[in-house]
Amino acid sequence: MATAVFPGSFDPVTLGHMDLVKRVSGMFDKLIIGILTNSSKEPLCTVKERILILEELTKDMPGVEVMSFDGLLVDFVDKTRADVIIRGIRNSIDFEYELPLAQANYKLNSKADTLFLATLPEHSYISSSAVKELIRYKSDISAFVPDIVYKFIMQKFNYIN
Ligand code: PNS
């Protein structure tokens, strides 16, 4: 049984993330979405909120599981007995950032091979950091995130757009 891990902060989940989840879930028997809990980034949503949102978004996708992890990704790969790590690549900047991480992860654990998936061009400008910034200015994020996330953010941060 082939298992993939899609790790990230998912803070918040974007349309780009969900496109990758949909595409990758069809390629593997099991896809584990791994939410990093000990990120150095200032969180927008709690890990619990992110888990609930991702569980709701993937409830009709067989074989998709949502988990959180802290520490090293290679240890999470070991723990879940995953065969591969999935990372989305939007542009050359992503590639330059992701390549040494993938190489270091492989060096640390040769079972932690990384598969890069090109995002769709229509999602290539979307990032959780940009969405976070828009929320800070109470701007419209509806074109960047799934409906559930949009509604959740509107409620949590008490603004309507
Ligand atoms: O969505 P993000 O924030 O781009 O995801 C980054 C993530 C979680 C994949 C990355 O920060 C990570 O793997 N963190 C865990 C710590 C780790 O293993 N670092 C790599 C050392 S070589």
Side-chain angles (χ1 to χ4, degrees), residues 13-160:
V13 180
T14 66
L15 290 175
H17 289 133
M18 288 318 294
D19 171 57
L20 284 186
V21 168
K22 276 177 208 145
R23 286 159 61 202
V24 173
S25 67
M27 298 175 190
F28 294 89
D29 302 299
K30 190 164 156 187
L31 172 63
I32 299 169
I33 302 175
I35 304 171
L36 179 69
T37 59
N38 59 341
S39 169
S40 55
K41 299 175 193 166
E42 184 69 26
L44 178 78
C45 303
T46 65
V47 172
K48 183 103 197 274
E49 287 167 341
R50 282 176 261 166
I51 291 175
L52 290 174
I53 286 169
L54 275 161
E55 280 178 347
E56 179 63 24
L57 285 165
T58 58
K59 67 175 188 229
D60 297 323
M61 294 184 201
V64 178
E65 212 175 287
V66 182
M67 291 175 77
S68 60
F69 74 101
D70 56 17
L72 289 178
L73 179 56
V74 287
D75 294 334
F76 186 59
V77 168
D78 263 346
K79 187 181 152 197
T80 54
R81 297 170 184 272
D83 301 289
V84 76
I85 297 164
I86 302 291
R87 291 292 286 167
I89 300 289
R90 290 166 298 191
N91 48 45
S92 58
I93 298 166
D94 271 358
F95 182 70
E96 284 190 15
Y97 175 78
E98 294 291 340
L99 181 64
L101 282 182
Q103 290 166 329
N105 282 334
Y106 185 80
K107 192 78 181 167
L108 290 167
N109 176 356
S110 61
K111 287 193 204 119
D113 231 330
T114 303
L115 205 65
F116 293 140
L117 214 68
T119 58
L120 296 181
E122 59 265 40
H123 296 145
S124 63
Y125 61 91
I126 301 178
S127 69
S128 292
S129 328
V131 173
K132 265 190 201 161
E133 186 138 11
L134 290 173
I135 293 167
R136 207 168 296 132
Y137 293 103
K138 298 198 181 303
S139 186
D140 187 5
I141 58 160
S142 57
F144 303 85
V145 297
D147 249 20
I148 295 170
V149 176
Y150 177 73
K151 286 182 187 135
F152 175 80
I153 297 289
M154 295 298 103
Q155 230 168 13
K156 176 161 176 165
F157 296 95
N158 198 23
Y159 76 95
I160 298 167

